[in-house]
Amino acid sequence: MLTTQRLAMLALDIDLATLQAESRTTFFNALAVMHEPLWPPSPFEPAAFEWARKSLSSDPEGQGWYGWALLANGGERAPPKLVGIATLIGRPDEEGDVELAFGLSPQYRGLGYGGECVRALSSWAFANGAKRVIAHLDAEDVHAAHTLMRSGFADTNEAPYPGVARWALQAAA
C-alpha cells in the first residue's frame, strides 16, 4: 500500500488481479468500493487485466509491478472511491527502464489524482531498482502531458510511434 495526500494505492496481488480480470463486480466488492459504471478507465482495456493476472501468476513476488488500484477517501460514513488504476508495466528492463501507465475515471480527472499517482509510483519504482520511468501518451493529450511535466517528467522528443509522445523521469543521482 502506498499513500499520498488523498490516495491509498493498493498493489494488486494474484487474488485481486484474478478478480479484476474475471469479474468487475467481485473486484469492486473485494475492495469495498462503489461500483464504477465506466470501468476500466482509458487507456486500460480488459485485456490488460488478464496480462496482470498472468504476470503475477508467473512472478508471484512481483506485487507492485503489475497493477495498482487508486482509492480516494469517500468521506465520513462513505466507502472509499475507486478513482482509477495504474501499472508499472513489469519489472525494469536491463537498462533500468520501466513504463508507467495510469487511468482515471472521467469524473476524477483534473482533480490532481493523476499527479499524486505518478509521483508515488515513480518514487516506488526508483526505490525498487528502476533508473528511469517512462510514460507513453497520445501526443495531443495536453492534460496528461501537463500532469507528467508537473511531476518532473520531460518529453524525450522520441516518438516511438506516430502520434505517441514519450516522457521520462530519471532517478536522482
Side-chain angles (χ1 to χ4, degrees), residues 62-131:
Q63 191 171 345
W65 294 111
Y66 304 105
W68 296 80
L70 311 179
L71 306 167
N73 185 343
E76 194 173 316
R77 298 185 186 159
K81 299 177 285 188
L82 182 61
V83 300
I85 53 176
T87 190
L88 293 161
I89 304 177
R91 293 180 181 269
D93 65 15
E94 302 80 34
E95 288 82 36
D97 289 350
V98 66
E99 188 173 344
L100 165 73
F102 66 99
L104 300 174
S105 292
Q107 68 270 33
Y108 302 114
R109 293 180 188 148
L111 301 175
Y113 292 120
E116 287 184 42
C117 166
V118 166
R119 288 186 294 279
L121 283 184
S122 296
S123 293
W124 185 91
F126 293 142
N128 286 280
K131 301 213 180 331

